Amino acid sequence: QVQLVESGGGLVQAGGSLRLSCAASGGTFSMYQMGWFRQAPGKEREAVAVITRSGSSTYYADSVKGRFTISRDNAKNMVYLQMNSLKPEDTAVYFCAADTRSVGLSPSAWSSWGQGTQVTVSS
């Protein structure tokens, strides 16, 4: 089972940028599809972005398209989420997730999770 540790969250003003990082260990990283999810207070966890094992394909939620970019470095066992033009509605705890299967976007389908990192966007 891969272990995941997120970093890079914080407080930023609307319109600003943050880069989240997720370090993976304990597994063959290139075998894992990777995803970023978020959960705002009182809301369900939702998929933000997903990247395939090779990095050749990505998915983005409509709410973040054109603003967020997911990427991975299989040599460093890292996955990133570059977040630009942040909005107050992006405020949430952001989680990194991994699975060896080509799972869908439902959080319940993903097998490995990090502890999350808080992103707060002030207006």
Side-chain angles (χ1 to χ4, degrees):
Q1 191 91 352
V2 67
Q3 288 80 50
L4 304 171
V5 178
E6 303 96 334
S7 61
L11 173 64
V12 63
Q13 288 189 333
S17 298
L18 282 175
R19 188 196 196 202
L20 305 184
S21 298
C22 174
S25 62
T28 303
F29 184 67
S30 61
M31 293 180 60
Y32 288 87
Q33 175 177 276
M34 300 298 297
W36 285 97
F37 292 75
R38 67 185 180 187
Q39 187 165 18
K43 294 188 177 181
E44 294 186 351
R45 193 171 297 190
E46 63 176 357
V48 175
V50 174
I51 189 166
T52 55
R53 295 168 187 80
S54 66
S56 59
S57 295
T58 55
Y59 157 85
Y60 295 95
D62 287 343
S63 58
V64 306
K65 277 181 183 176
R67 301 188 298 122
F68 291 11
T69 302
I70 188 171
S71 62
R72 67 188 295 162
D73 186 335
N74 284 351
K76 295 182 178 179
N77 291 0
M78 297 289 295
V79 63
Y80 307 98
L81 186 68
Q82 178 67 43
M83 305 186 296
N84 299 328
S85 302
L86 282 161
K87 304 175 181 180
E89 51 264 44
D90 294 319
T91 296
V93 177
Y94 283 72
F95 298 89
C96 177
D99 205 287
T100 56
R101 303 162 298 166
S102 295
V103 295
L105 304 175
S106 173
S108 62
W110 292 69
S111 59
S112 300
W113 292 87
Q115 82 289 349
T117 185
Q118 176 70 47
V119 171
T120 303
V121 184
S122 63
S123 57

